[in-house]
Amino acid sequence: QPEDTIAYRFTLAEAKSLFFNVVGDRYNAVLKRLDGNDGTLFSNSLSSSDMHSLLRMDAGTYELRLSPNSRDLSSTLGTYNIQLQDVSALPILTMDTPAVGATTQSRLSNEWRFDGIAGTRLLIDPRLTTGSNDQYIYWSLVDAYGTVVSSNSKWSSNDNAWTVVLPQDGTYVLHLHGQESSTTARSTTMNVRATTTRTAGLQLGDV
């Protein structure tokens, strides 16, 4: 029989930006504030997709509840994993310096933060992924308000660098995770660097 609902409660003494990663098999994940008027902050089915999101949260008490979502009561529930991270404590991403994200399961995530200036053009370049049987990786760039600025994916050794222009000044989070069904270990190298566009004149007949 599926397990009973599992509830985790936590209290924030002050407002914080938190990055949530909730992955699992055949669970529903619901985050609610127990005091105040915020109500439900998210509600996701972990059977169709895992949950990765940055939330700006006020001081208060919250509850993350996982409940079985299988319609077949004889089905065996899979495992789940919860990562709850303070954005201000994430490792800093240094431009043009390879950053390595390693996890015990490829579907788990890695995050880095950096401060950016509006109009800066970045080249986000996922490099080598090793260890995982499934070589798909997915990344997203999120601003300080939780809005996804850009996202893309990469398969194996395929070259799939992506250019992004930062829309505003502030803190950004680069998020990375593997295929949602992949539970083998993974190590992925990411490289991010600022780029410039050089304009030059061209005359007819120039080579």
Side-chain angles (χ1 to χ4, degrees), residues 163-177:
T163 301
V164 179
V165 178
L166 300 183
Q168 60 199 18
D169 295 353
T171 298
Y172 291 85
V173 173
L174 180 62
H175 160 83
L176 167 73
H177 69 272

Side-chain angles (χ1 to χ4, degrees), residues 114 116-122 141-145 147-150 164-172:
F114 65 93
I117 299 173
T120 300
R121 184 182 298 272
L122 298 179
L141 183 65
V142 183
D143 69 15
Y145 300 94
T147 302
V148 177
V149 175
S150 186
V164 179
V165 178
L166 300 183
Q168 60 199 18
D169 295 353
T171 298
Y172 291 85

Side-chain angles (χ1 to χ4, degrees), residues 64-135:
L64 176 60
R65 183 176 293 262
L66 300 180
S67 58
N69 69 3
S70 175
R71 295 181 179 179
D72 181 0
L73 295 181
S74 65
S75 296
T76 301
L77 288 171
T79 60
Y80 65 88
N81 184 283
I82 299 168
Q83 294 172 292
L84 175 57
Q85 303 179 85
D86 185 343
V87 168
S88 66
L90 291 174
I92 296 174
L93 181 70
T94 302
M95 294 292 113
D96 208 19
T97 300
V100 178
T103 64
T104 57
Q105 296 184 33
S106 183
R107 66 181 182 175
L108 302 183
S109 71
N110 308 103
E111 282 83 29
W112 300 268
R113 66 181 173 91
F114 65 93
D115 291 331
I117 299 173
T120 300
R121 184 182 298 272
L122 298 179
L123 184 69
I124 300 179
D125 188 8
R127 298 289 182 88
L128 182 65
T129 293
T130 62
S132 174
N133 293 331
D134 192 333
Q135 295 292 300

Side-chain angles (χ1 to χ4, degrees), residues 2-52:
E3 299 177 18
D4 294 333
T5 295
I6 309 128
Y8 298 93
R9 291 185 179 181
F10 60 94
T11 299
L12 298 178
E14 59 184 5
K16 285 184 177 292
S17 292
L18 301 180
F19 205 101
F20 283 81
N21 291 290
V22 186
V23 303
D25 304 303
R26 295 183 293 279
Y27 282 98
N28 291 319
V30 179
L31 177 66
K32 291 184 176 182
R33 182 172 177 179
L34 300 181
D35 54 356
N37 300 315
D38 291 353
T40 300
L41 282 77
F42 66 71
S43 179
N44 284 70
S45 170
L46 302 184
S47 291
S48 56
S49 63
D50 294 332
M51 189 269 173
H52 311 281

